[in-house]
Amino acid sequence: LAQYSDFVETAYLIIHGELPNAKQRRHFGDLLRLHSPVHSAMDHLFEGFPLGSHPMAILSALLNSLGCYYPHLATNRVQEDLANFEEASAIAISKVRTIAAMSYRKSRGLPYIYPKRTLPYCENFLHMMFSQPYEDYVCTPEVAQALNLFLLLHADHEQNCSTSTVRMVGSSAANMFTSISAGISALSGPLHGGANTAVMGMLQAIHDEGDDGTRFIAAAKSGSKSNRLMGFGHAVYKNFDPRARIIGEACDIVLKRLGIDDPLLHIAKTLEQAALKDDYFVSRKLYPNVDFYSGIIMRALGIPMNMFTTMFAIGRTPGYISNWREVASNPKGRIYRPRQIYVGATKRDYVPMVQRH
Ligand code: SDX
């Protein structure tokens, strides 16, 4: 898929289980273009956020609000919501991108740029991000290809923290928009989708200190969660995350094509080599994950660092949608209720206030 496909085609595959034929691909693209604008009243929601609001907080809130603008798609009556799945999923995939671009424009005090129905998915996103009212952004094929690759590599990934959150919320018969909103909240954590931003912060700090990464590796070996080598390790991959390898290779190609020599890429490679020779990481099977190099590509595309996790959310939306439908359409589905081993206090009598010390 990374070699031959693009994000929209991969999204179709993840949602429908098969690659689209030409007619299906055309129809899916038409739906995404049709739903690219957001309801004009949504502008007021943006106005309510203080400057500096994190784009992921905005994205989660506004994805949830889609159910208010499209109540017929978010009835919380599973059969009805499943009957409208095609429209709801196209709205989610198309509008998550528009909302992300609008949150960027708002954060820069720039006017919103309306989507163009003539543009493909990625080109339209970059248009909404970087065009000006007086001048259109010109997207090169290399940039569009790099963004497609980034998004499709993030499109789905088993029962990761945020996808499991979507399933948990969906198991209560909550609608797709609400469930995806919960997933986006889970994704924002620095140990999950927030890691791509944390990686770039780490690389920038190493660059600014003129460090060769030794200090960060030493701190990461302390074992404390707050000092971890961001972009390394994985809950299930105990070897190289295949996505990290593809993105790492793409970094060289994209930056060369764009004529960019990013010192952070050299630092990342030095850090990777040092960690891969260090027994602490090798013995714990800690290798680069999808987040280790992804920030380098996004930086090359001009995406600001505080939008990196939002880009992950755009890419992961097809996976959230597909998992929501799997839960919603399970005829034997039950509400999720993780088992627990209670280790708290045993029976205790109520102590009146006067006797408490
Ligand atoms: C994503 O699940 C998915 O699929 C997620 C994802 C997706 O596509 O949805 O792939 C996307 O979230 C990728 C991961 C992005 N996060 C980071 O890069 C943050 C840094 N990584 C870690 O915080 C950590 O590796 C996790 C959160 C990814 C995994 O955590 P686990 O499963 O709890 O790891 P673990 O505790 O089993 O680690 C085992 C050991 C521990 O040390 P010991 O207690 O054995 O001494 O390895 C250590 C950990 O302290 N360790 C690290 C480390 N990751 C684990 N030590 C230093 N740096 C790290 N990055």
Side-chain angles (χ1 to χ4, degrees):
L1 291 171
Q3 200 169 349
Y4 301 110
S5 189
D6 64 23
F7 173 59
V8 169
E9 185 181 73
T10 300
Y12 186 97
L13 169 65
I14 283 167
I15 290 172
H16 298 287
E18 296 296 339
L19 287 170
N21 61 32
K23 186 174 172 230
Q24 292 162 333
R25 176 64 180 80
R26 217 173 16 257
H27 175 62
F28 191 48
D30 291 345
L31 272 180
L32 294 180
R33 276 188 288 276
L34 172 70
H35 291 298
S36 49
V38 293
H39 192 293
S40 57
M42 255 190 172
D43 294 10
H44 302 298
L45 296 183
F46 277 98
E47 294 324 309
F49 285 98
L51 264 184
S53 298
H54 198 287
M56 284 295 275
I58 296 174
L59 195 64
S60 176
L62 268 67
L63 254 286
N64 203 4
S65 76
L66 287 175
C68 305
Y69 292 97
Y70 305 94
H72 66 292
L73 303 178
T75 66
N76 288 356
R77 291 186 293 275
V78 172
Q79 291 317 315
E80 281 182 55
D81 291 347
L82 282 171
N84 291 309
F85 174 81
E86 187 185 35
E87 186 185 2
S89 53
I91 282 177
I93 292 177
S94 191
K95 290 181 183 349
V96 69
R97 164 199 51 177
T98 307
I99 292 167
M102 290 175 75
S103 64
Y104 167 74
R105 302 290 292 191
K106 154 92 178 159
S107 71
R108 292 292 192 287
L110 295 170
Y112 301 131
I113 298 293
Y114 280 89
K116 278 189 175 176
R117 287 190 182 167
T118 53
L119 290 177
Y121 190 91
C122 287
E123 289 83 341
N124 214 349
F125 170 72
L126 293 165
H127 161 64
M128 290 188 274
M129 284 280 286
F130 300 127
S131 287
Q132 298 303 343
Y134 47 83
E135 186 179 61
D136 275 355
Y137 168 81
V138 179
C139 181
T140 64
E142 293 79 12
V143 167
Q145 189 184 8
L147 185 52
N148 268 291
L149 175 66
F150 173 87
L151 292 176
L152 77 81
L153 282 174
H154 285 79
D156 192 28
H157 208 242
E158 292 185 0
Q159 293 308 298
N160 57 82
C161 174
S162 53
T163 299
S164 299
T165 303
V166 171
R167 293 179 74 100
M168 171 75 80
V169 174
S171 78
S172 72
N175 67 77
M176 181 197 295
F177 302 133
T178 296
S179 303
I180 290 174
S181 164
I184 289 172
S185 295
L187 185 68
S188 64
L191 294 187
H192 191 11
N196 56 24
T197 311
V199 167
M200 293 303 277
M202 176 180 73
L203 296 176
Q204 191 63 54
I206 293 172
H207 177 265
D208 296 346
E209 290 173 16
D211 186 276
D212 61 0
T214 311
R215 190 175 71 76
F216 275 82
I217 287 182
K221 289 160 69 172
S222 68
S224 80
K225 259 205 168 71
S226 56
N227 283 329
R228 287 189 163 181
L229 195 61
M230 301 314 276
F232 258 73
H234 199 275
V236 290
Y237 283 135
K238 297 310 172 190
N239 52 19
F240 228 98
D241 181 336
R243 300 167 298 174
R245 195 184 304 282
I246 293 170
I247 289 191
E249 288 161 5
C251 278
D252 289 322
I253 298 165
V254 170
L255 268 64
K256 191 171 174 195
R257 280 184 185 161
L258 298 179
I260 298 171
D261 180 22
D262 187 344
L264 300 194
L265 178 57
H266 304 304
I267 291 172
K269 290 185 172 181
T270 308
L271 209 54
E272 174 190 343
Q273 289 314 311
L276 294 181
K277 293 186 186 108
D278 188 306
D279 183 58
Y280 172 90
F281 296 93
V282 176
S283 63
R284 291 169 175 80
K285 301 185 184 311
L286 301 176
Y287 295 89
N289 58 49
V290 66
D291 293 302
F292 190 64
Y293 284 108
S294 56
I296 303 278
I297 279 209
M298 283 189 281
R299 193 163 112 121
L301 301 185
I303 309 280
M305 202 154 93
N306 72 338
M307 288 279 292
F308 285 2
T309 308
T310 311
M311 300 305 294
F312 190 146
I314 295 172
R316 186 53 53 88
T317 295
Y320 292 156
I321 288 169
S322 191
N323 276 273
W324 175 85
R325 178 163 67 171
E326 191 171 83
V327 172
S329 52
N330 178 358
K332 299 194 180 72
R334 297 182 62 199
I335 192 166
Y336 283 20
R337 180 69 162 84
R339 302 298 300 280
Q340 65 182 78
I341 297 173
Y342 178 72
V343 293
T346 52
K347 183 174 177 295
R348 290 181 289 173
D349 295 331
Y350 182 79
V351 179
M353 182 60 82
V354 292
Q355 293 173 23
R356 294 176 210 161
H357 307 297

